[in-house]
């Protein structure tokens, strides 16, 4: 299951949400967003927007 592990302030107007996997603890991806978006909304939507890589048979 994915969740937002941290939110970093990059510039006064841009923040980055780091999305991690709850089971393994590894960072899956990140999403940049502006100040106009609420932190609550980012925590709800960011895990849905990041695609987790799936292992495929070789």
């Amino acid at each position: 299951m994915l969740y937002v592990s941290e939110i970093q302030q990059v510039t006064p107007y841009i923040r980055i949400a780091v999305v991690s996997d709850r089971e393994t603890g590894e960072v899956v991806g990140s999403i940049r967003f502006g100040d106009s978006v609420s932190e609550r909304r980012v925590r709800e939507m960011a895990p849905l927007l990041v695609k987790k890589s799936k292992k495929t048979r070789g």
Side-chain angles (χ1 to χ4, degrees), residues 3 6-7 22 27 31 38 45 48 50 52 55 57:
Y3 74 105
E6 69 176 296
I7 296 178
R22 191 176 302 274
V27 174
I31 294 184
S38 71
M45 294 303 294
L48 302 174
V50 172
K52 186 177 177 185
K55 295 179 182 174
R57 294 190 329 192

Side-chain angles (χ1 to χ4, degrees), residues 26-44:
E26 67 183 38
V27 174
V28 178
S30 63
I31 294 184
R32 297 179 69 160
F33 61 97
D35 259 1
S36 62
V37 182
S38 71
E39 193 169 312
R40 178 178 173 224
R41 184 76 171 154
V42 169
R43 290 192 182 275
E44 291 173 355

Side-chain angles (χ1 to χ4, degrees), residues 4-32:
V4 176
S5 58
E6 69 176 296
I7 296 178
Q8 303 170 348
Q9 187 81 30
V10 178
T11 67
Y13 303 107
I14 297 176
R15 294 182 281 176
I16 294 179
V18 178
V19 180
S20 300
D21 188 353
R22 191 176 302 274
E23 296 154 2
T24 62
E26 67 183 38
V27 174
V28 178
S30 63
I31 294 184
R32 297 179 69 160

